[in-house]
């Protein structure tokens, strides 16, 4: 009798809940698969939908690149999952990605997860469509013209030189946090037109708030106290308050000679004849700040890592700079033309972006049901195209695991047939508007840091994580010493 009671208790407290959970998961899977379009004969991609309602979001957040690699190895280049509250198809490989990127407005449309849209705002460049997207993009592109980039060079050099001199005085430098601060200062000055004294006053609070916002950018869309979305919004509101102060100063100026991206957005708003929206400008400024410093900080950190692990690349990079100096290039008077002559330096940046693209992919939504490589992509499902996985499987790159900048000395990525095998800045009409700005900024960074210092990675090769951009888990502790020419 006692044994029967114990068995019944065991069944009720352990076995039954487990069975009910498994049944719920199976019913969830069946329910989500019913979302396929019966008018299309192609099957859904292989994959799994995870737990009810939350899908596989938690696994992605916790495991990031490990999760993505595991899914790709198990299901191939196109698979289904459920992320951030939506059924999703993840797409890898040049041919598949080409269809997505060139299918903008026909097959797919940009749509970031609800948490991203809530925090960054629905009227930002990455979220708007049609004429509004073209108008905003045109305004921002003026801030990234060749003349504008030329004007930014002294500010970039000033900030990088000051940062390197500071690193040389320290026993240990945590590279990733330092890169975030450096690129944040540069973005605040160049993109948002903040004066150096303004940044100095609020820098620490702004950097911390921005990191809190970014950390919670991809979260479950649940706005309750202490949730990721709640914390992200709180941090964003602090940033908006500081940006609003700067916008009001700009509005008081009847005519500004500033060429920063924020000024371009304000001028565009004035000329459009539409009612001025402070909220829309703040959202656009916050998006610029994210795109203009988070991604470059990630890549600058990876540059320090790869050069620290590959001293022969550092030597060749320095030699190129010194050869150009002998040919008349002056480090104290860098310009766009001189930077363009640093071909190997550019290859070091390209190779870094190949292995560690700062943004792992892009989000779209299917506007209609369509077929991709034999699989059905149902209308309304999210589509994520993967940058990091596409680089991992690209056929044009032999010895993919090795850091070999010289591979880019040829024109291999300029061949139309290999166009979508290398996509660090995305592609199509949504290609990163700040691409040329990033190239100039990173080249100046390399020239300054390489010609002023040597460095040693104190922990060796780090473990890399994505959240939402790529960064080293240990923050890359490094010892910098002065470089003396021989």
């Amino acid at each position: 009798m006692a044994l029967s009671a114990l068995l019944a208790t065991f069944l009720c407290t352990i076995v039954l809940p487990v069975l009910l959970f498994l049944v719920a998961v199976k019913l969830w899977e069946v329910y989500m698969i019913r979302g396929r379009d019966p008018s299309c004969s192609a099957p859904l991609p292989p994959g799994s939908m995870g737990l009810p309602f939350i899908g596989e979001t938690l696994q992605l957040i916790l495991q990031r690149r490990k999760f993505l690699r595991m899914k790709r190895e198990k299901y191939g280049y196109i698979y289904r999952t459920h992320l951030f509250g939506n059924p999703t198809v993840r797409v890898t490989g040049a041919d598949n990605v080409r269809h997505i990127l060139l299918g903008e407005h026909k097959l797919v449309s940009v749509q970031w997860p609800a948490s991203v849209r809530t925090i960054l705002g629905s009227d930002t460049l990455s979220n708007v469509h049609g004429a509004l997207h073209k108008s905003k993009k045109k305004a921002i592109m003026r801030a990234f013209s060749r003349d504008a980039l030329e004007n930014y060079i002294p500010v970039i050099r000033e900030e990088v030189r000051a940062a390197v001199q500071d690193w040389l005085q320290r026993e240990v430098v945590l590279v990733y946090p330092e890169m975030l601060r450096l690129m944040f200062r540069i973005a605040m000055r160049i993109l948002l037109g903040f004066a150096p004294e303004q940044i100095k006053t609020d820098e620490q609070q702004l950097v911390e708030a921005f990191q809190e916002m970014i950390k919670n950018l991809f979260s479950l869309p649940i706005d309750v106290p202490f949730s990721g979305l709640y914390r992200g919004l709180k941090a964003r509101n602090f940033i908006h308050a500081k940006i609003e102060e700067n916008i009001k100063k700009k509005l008081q100026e009847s005519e500004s000679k500033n060429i920063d991206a924020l000024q371009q957005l304000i001028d565009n708003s004035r000329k459009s004849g539409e009612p001025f929206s402070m909220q829309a400008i703040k959202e656009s400024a916050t998006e610029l700040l994210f795109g203009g410093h988070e991604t470059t900080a990630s890549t600058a950190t990876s540059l320090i890592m790869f050069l620290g692990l590959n001293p022969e690349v550092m030597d060749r990079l320095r030699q190129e700079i010194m050869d150009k100096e002998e040919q008349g290039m002056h480090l104290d008077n860098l310009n766009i033309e001189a930077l363009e002559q640093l071909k190997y330096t550019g290859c070091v940046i390209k190779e870094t972006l190949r292995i560690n693209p700062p943004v792992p992919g892009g989000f779209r939504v299917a506007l209609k049901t369509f077929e991709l490589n034999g699989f059905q992509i149902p209308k309304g499902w999210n589509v994520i195209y993967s940058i990091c996985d596409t680089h991992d499987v690209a056929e044009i790159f032999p010895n993919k695991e090795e850091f070999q900048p010289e591979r880019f000395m040829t024109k291999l990525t300029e061949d139309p047939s290999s166009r979508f095998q290398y996509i660090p800045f995305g592609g199509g009409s949504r290609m990163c508007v700040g691409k040329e700005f990033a190239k100039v900024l990173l080249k100046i960074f390399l020239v300054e840091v390489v010609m002023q210092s040597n460095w040693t990675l104190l922990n060796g090769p780090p473990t890399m994580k994505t959240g939402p951009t790529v960064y080293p888990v240990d923050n890359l502790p490094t010892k910098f010493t002065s470089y003396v020419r021989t």
Side-chain angles (χ1 to χ4, degrees):
M1 191 70 177
L3 184 60
S4 298
L6 185 63
L7 182 60
T9 302
F10 174 75
L11 289 172
C12 290
T13 57
I14 297 177
V15 176
L16 187 58
V18 170
L19 287 174
L20 288 173
F21 174 75
L22 292 175
V23 169
V25 170
K26 186 62 179 176
L27 289 173
W28 167 254
E29 186 85 16
V30 171
Y31 173 73
M32 292 311 304
I33 291 176
R34 284 179 62 196
R36 71 180 296 275
D37 189 338
S39 66
C40 179
S41 60
L44 287 173
S48 58
M49 308 306 278
L51 299 173
F53 304 108
I54 64 174
E56 296 182 313
T57 304
L58 293 180
Q59 294 100 304
L60 176 64
I61 291 173
L62 294 173
Q63 297 177 315
R64 296 287 179 176
R65 211 156 177 178
K66 179 182 176 183
F67 169 82
L68 299 177
R69 189 172 288 114
M70 177 190 70
K71 299 289 276 189
R72 188 184 81 214
E73 289 172 354
K74 186 174 182 179
Y75 297 118
Y77 288 6
I78 303 176
Y79 60 85
R80 72 172 186 271
T81 179
H82 194 279
L83 300 173
F84 307 108
N86 292 288
T88 300
V89 175
R90 190 170 178 90
V91 175
T92 292
D95 289 340
N96 297 325
V97 169
R98 176 188 286 108
H99 283 288
I100 300 302
L101 291 178
L102 298 186
E104 185 78 23
H105 306 310
K106 293 174 288 188
L107 300 177
V108 298
S109 180
V110 67
Q111 180 170 290
W112 291 85
S115 59
V116 178
R117 299 197 304 273
T118 301
I119 292 173
L120 288 185
S122 57
D123 287 331
T124 53
L125 183 66
S126 60
N127 282 315
V128 295
H129 305 87
L132 184 56
H133 176 260
K134 288 182 180 179
S135 174
K136 286 200 172 195
K137 184 176 180 179
K138 185 178 179 181
I140 292 174
M141 288 302 292
R142 282 198 288 269
F144 296 132
S145 67
R146 189 179 179 89
D147 289 342
L149 294 175
E150 196 84 68
N151 290 331
Y152 299 156
I153 290 176
V155 173
I156 297 171
R157 292 182 63 245
E158 175 193 330
E159 291 288 353
V160 175
R161 283 191 170 185
V164 174
Q165 287 304 309
D166 178 48
W167 301 340
L168 290 171
Q169 309 307 314
R170 302 197 212 170
E171 285 300 313
V172 179
V173 173
L174 295 178
V175 171
Y176 182 57
E178 288 300 315
M179 292 305 171
L180 285 170
R181 291 189 185 92
L182 170 61
M183 298 303 171
F184 190 83
R185 287 195 300 271
I186 292 172
M188 289 289 280
R189 291 183 65 180
I190 287 176
L191 299 181
L192 303 191
F194 275 64
E197 57 272 15
Q198 284 177 279
I199 300 170
K200 190 174 182 180
T201 303
D202 300 315
E203 181 181 352
Q204 189 60 35
Q205 283 182 295
L206 277 167
V207 169
E208 289 176 0
F210 212 88
Q211 288 315 299
E212 182 69 13
M213 186 188 83
I214 297 304
K215 185 171 68 175
N216 295 292
L217 199 56
F218 291 86
S219 56
L220 291 171
I222 304 170
D223 184 12
V224 296
F226 309 112
S227 69
L229 183 59
Y230 176 87
R231 294 195 300 272
L233 287 170
K234 184 178 179 182
R236 184 217 53 191
N237 291 340
F238 175 79
I239 296 164
H240 275 194
K242 294 298 179 182
I243 291 175
E244 184 170 337
E245 292 175 10
N246 202 49
I247 293 173
K248 287 177 177 177
K249 287 180 183 177
K250 287 178 174 291
L251 290 173
Q252 289 170 2
E253 301 171 1
S254 57
E255 228 178 280
S256 175
K257 294 182 180 179
N258 291 335
I259 199 172
D260 58 81
L262 179 57
Q263 187 65 54
Q264 296 292 341
L265 287 170
I266 292 172
D267 291 345
N268 188 63
S269 177
R270 283 169 166 166
K271 293 172 185 174
S272 69
E274 297 290 327
F276 180 81
S277 170
M278 177 65 77
Q279 184 65 21
I281 298 291
K282 285 191 295 186
E283 289 177 356
S284 294
T286 305
E287 180 187 40
L288 277 170
L289 201 51
F290 168 62
H293 102 278
E294 185 80 15
T295 53
T296 51
S298 170
T299 303
T301 302
S302 292
L303 284 167
I304 294 294
M305 178 188 73
F306 284 127
L307 290 175
L309 295 172
N310 298 275
E312 72 284 356
V313 175
M314 173 95 83
D315 292 340
R316 184 171 174 180
L317 201 158
R318 276 201 185 112
Q319 191 59 54
E320 177 182 64
I321 295 169
M322 290 188 286
D323 288 347
K324 293 301 178 184
E325 283 184 303
E326 290 179 4
Q327 296 169 19
M329 182 184 84
H330 300 289
L331 289 184
D332 288 332
N333 191 30
L334 280 178
N335 54 33
I336 297 292
E337 186 178 352
L339 291 172
E340 288 173 343
Q341 294 174 24
L342 298 174
K343 301 297 184 184
Y344 186 74
T345 305
C347 291
V348 172
I349 295 169
K350 287 179 180 178
E351 179 72 342
T352 299
L353 291 170
R354 180 187 72 82
I355 300 176
N356 280 351
V359 178
F363 287 79
R364 301 291 187 269
V365 64
L367 296 175
K368 62 181 181 180
T369 299
F370 63 95
E371 288 189 34
L372 183 63
N373 203 11
F375 294 113
Q376 173 186 151
I377 313 297
K379 178 181 178 180
W381 280 37
N382 280 358
V383 180
I384 299 177
Y385 73 89
S386 174
I387 294 174
C388 55
D389 285 346
T390 297
H391 287 184
D392 284 348
V393 303
E395 297 174 356
I396 61 172
F397 300 123
N399 306 314
K400 293 182 179 65
E401 301 300 320
E402 296 181 19
F403 188 75
Q404 297 178 343
E406 59 273 12
R407 74 173 84 234
F408 284 97
M409 293 299 280
T410 64
K411 303 290 186 181
L412 80 167
T413 57
E414 296 178 15
D415 186 331
S417 65
S418 60
R419 179 177 163 197
F420 289 92
Q421 297 199 46
Y422 180 72
I423 48 171
F425 297 102
S429 62
R430 294 278 178 175
M431 183 179 287
C432 175
V433 294
K435 179 176 71 170
E436 297 306 319
F437 168 69
K439 289 179 181 177
V440 168
L441 170 55
L442 292 169
K443 269 194 177 181
I444 295 171
F445 169 77
L446 273 183
V447 169
E448 295 293 346
V449 74
V450 163
M451 299 310 292
Q452 287 189 64
S453 64
N454 287 306
W455 58 88
T456 303
L457 308 183
L458 300 180
N459 285 357
T463 299
M464 303 301 288
K465 191 175 180 182
T466 305
T469 54
V470 174
Y471 69 96
V473 173
D474 65 355
N475 285 324
L476 204 67
T478 301
K479 173 63 178 174
F480 286 84
T481 55
S482 295
Y483 167 65
V484 180
R485 299 194 194 197
T486 55

